[in-house]
């Protein structure tokens, strides 16, 4: 991750409901030019009219270079980003977009199980389309749950896909999803993808850790895991920004990102909770202390990158590629 990531101004060409409480937004280049390519699982950062930055999964078709498509769940008691998009007239206006980037790619496998909870269908939908377009390449199934059918975005599009087993599970008529039936008896070479609320992700993780080999589960969160463990070493430390040529002090009561932004105002960031990957930064020296939900155990052990919005330092000094 670096500050040279492309930033572009796109025009909102469509903003219409995709389900109860879900707004679909289509963005295009104002000059009609092609947009950068992407792969299933990718997301973009969107700068809202207020200046707030939020990350949203791309849920359109990667082969469509003319537009990006996102879907935003309205969360009235959230951090304000979704409420702003749902209440602001958008069509014809411009939004600044950064990305796309992908921390949730579709890995090759002979068998897949997809589990979506609510708006968690958005990063999985392009994956499902890709597999449906390659009949016989892999077997796959989808369990898609939501509060009710009218709140489940893209459910008609999902059920129209061919080549896999699709189960819609509205909670108001079916109760909680039957994860045991979905995850028990799977072949060891099955890969599981899950996106949705924390309760669903934790339940899926518990079962896959017991039933499948390590590495079989791929998760994406739309909110940080809670409660977060307190940092092991929350003391002050130094950070050297190698390309900027500055050494800064990070006190105990400030985040690394806040201190870095004073020296590098354009450093990319979005969620500030360690879950989107926007602020991922290369570590040149020192031992980072990780508090994100993105890096694997192997990546944490290697210590080559960190999410500077929540990460700190185990060593007294860090050197970052900024």
């Amino acid at each position: 991750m670096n500050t040279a990531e492309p930033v572009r101004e796109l025009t909102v060409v469509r903003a219409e409901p995709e389900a109860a409480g879900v707004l679909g937004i289509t963005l295009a280049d104002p000059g009609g030019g092609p947009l950068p390519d992407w792969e299933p699982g990718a997301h973009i950062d969107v700068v809202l009219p207020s200046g707030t930055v939020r990350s949203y999964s791309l849920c359109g078709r990667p082969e469509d270079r003319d537009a990006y498509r996102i879907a935003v769940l309205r969360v009235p008691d959230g951090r304000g980003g979704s409420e702003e998009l749902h209440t602001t007239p958008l069509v014809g206006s411009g939004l600044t977009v950064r990305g796309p980037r992908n921390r949730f790619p579709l890995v090759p496998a002979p068998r897949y199980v997809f589990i979506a909870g609510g708006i968690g269908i958005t990063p999985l939908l392009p994956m499902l389309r890709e597999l449906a377009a390659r009949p016989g390449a892999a077997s796959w199934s989808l369990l898609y749950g939501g509060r009710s059918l009218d709140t489940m975005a893209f459910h008609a599009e999902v059920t129209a896909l061919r080549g896999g087993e699709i189960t819609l599970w509205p909670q108001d008529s079916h109760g909680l999803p039957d994860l045991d039936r979905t995850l028990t008896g799977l072949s060891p070479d099955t890969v599981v993808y899950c996106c949705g609320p924390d309760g669903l992700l934790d339940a899926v993780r518990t079962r896959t850790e017991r039933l499948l080999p390590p590495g079989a589960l791929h998760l994406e969160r739309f909110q940080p895991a809670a409660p977060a463990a307190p940092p092991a070493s929350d003391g002050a430390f130094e950070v050297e920004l190698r390309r900027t040529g500055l050494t800064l002090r990070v006190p105990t009561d400030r985040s690394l990102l806040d201190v870095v932004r004073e020296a590098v105002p354009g450093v990319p960031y979005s969620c500030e909770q360690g879950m989107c990957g926007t602020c991922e930064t290369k570590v040149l020296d020192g031992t980072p202390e990780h508090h994100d939900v993105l890096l694997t155990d192997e990546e944490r052990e290697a210590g080559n990158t960190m999410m500077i919005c929540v990460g700190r330092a185990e060593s007294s000094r860090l050197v970052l590629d900024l």
Side-chain angles (χ1 to χ4, degrees):
M1 183 69 217
N2 60 68
T3 57
E5 187 174 32
V7 177
R8 55 188 54 81
E9 189 82 4
L10 300 183
T11 299
V12 178
V13 297
R14 176 184 175 272
E16 297 176 356
E18 296 288 356
V22 178
L23 180 68
I25 299 173
T26 302
L27 301 145
D29 184 273
L35 298 177
D37 58 1
W38 58 280
E39 295 182 347
H43 67 265
I44 56 174
D45 296 333
V46 179
V47 182
L48 309 188
S50 65
T52 299
V53 182
R54 293 290 181 264
S55 295
Y56 297 104
S57 296
L58 291 171
C59 55
R61 299 178 181 274
E63 63 270 21
D64 180 8
R65 301 285 299 280
D66 294 329
Y68 287 155
R69 183 184 180 195
I70 60 175
V72 182
L73 173 67
R74 188 172 190 173
V75 185
D77 57 349
R79 295 185 298 143
S82 68
E83 191 73 10
E84 181 178 350
L85 286 175
H86 275 259
T87 58
T88 302
L90 294 174
V91 176
S93 64
L95 291 175
T96 300
V97 170
R98 187 167 57 226
R101 82 180 59 82
N102 199 344
R103 293 282 318 182
F104 193 52
L106 182 65
V107 301
R111 278 167 279 278
Y112 298 89
V113 171
F114 296 93
I115 301 174
I119 198 64
I121 190 63
T122 52
L124 303 183
L125 183 55
M127 300 182 187
L128 299 170
R129 289 200 203 97
E130 179 173 313
L131 294 174
R134 297 189 281 126
S139 64
W140 59 272
S141 67
L142 168 68
L143 174 63
Y144 178 15
R147 295 193 310 276
S148 59
L149 193 61
D150 68 314
T151 67
M152 296 168 64
F154 310 116
H155 70 264
E157 188 173 347
V158 166
T159 54
L161 295 173
R162 296 292 176 262
E165 179 184 340
I166 298 166
T167 303
L168 300 186
W169 201 283
Q171 188 173 336
D172 62 345
S173 59
H174 290 59
L176 294 176
D178 189 346
L179 297 179
D180 290 323
R181 186 179 71 174
T182 300
L183 295 170
T184 300
L186 298 178
S187 169
D189 57 3
T190 303
V191 171
V192 178
Y193 277 80
C194 182
C195 185
D198 277 350
L200 174 66
L201 269 59
D202 292 341
V204 171
R205 180 191 293 276
T206 298
R207 288 164 173 80
T208 54
E209 286 179 347
R210 186 177 73 248
L211 299 170
L212 290 172
L217 178 61
H218 299 259
L219 297 178
E220 181 160 88
R221 295 182 183 270
F222 286 150
Q223 59 188 26
S233 57
D234 198 26
F237 60 95
E238 284 189 345
V239 58
E240 177 188 341
L241 310 183
R242 179 62 54 84
R243 285 188 278 124
T244 307
L246 294 175
T247 297
L248 309 170
R249 189 73 173 166
V250 182
T252 58
D253 60 347
R254 299 189 66 195
S255 72
L256 175 56
L257 174 64
D258 284 344
V259 172
V260 167
R261 287 183 61 209
E262 291 183 349
V264 189
V267 65
Y269 73 99
S270 177
C271 72
E272 300 185 70
Q273 299 177 84
M275 62 183 188
C276 74
T278 301
C279 69
E280 184 173 4
T281 301
K282 186 175 181 181
V283 179
L284 302 177
D285 196 16
T287 304
E289 183 178 274
H290 302 286
H291 297 284
D292 61 273
V293 297
L294 287 172
L295 296 176
T296 64
D297 291 341
E298 292 77 12
E299 290 170 328
R300 291 167 184 265
E301 181 68 25
N304 295 324
T305 68
M306 67 182 300
M307 310 302 161
I308 62 173
C309 65
V310 293
R312 296 190 69 82
E314 290 186 6
S315 54
S316 61
R317 180 182 176 89
L318 285 178
V319 181
L320 302 179
D321 186 23
L322 288 171

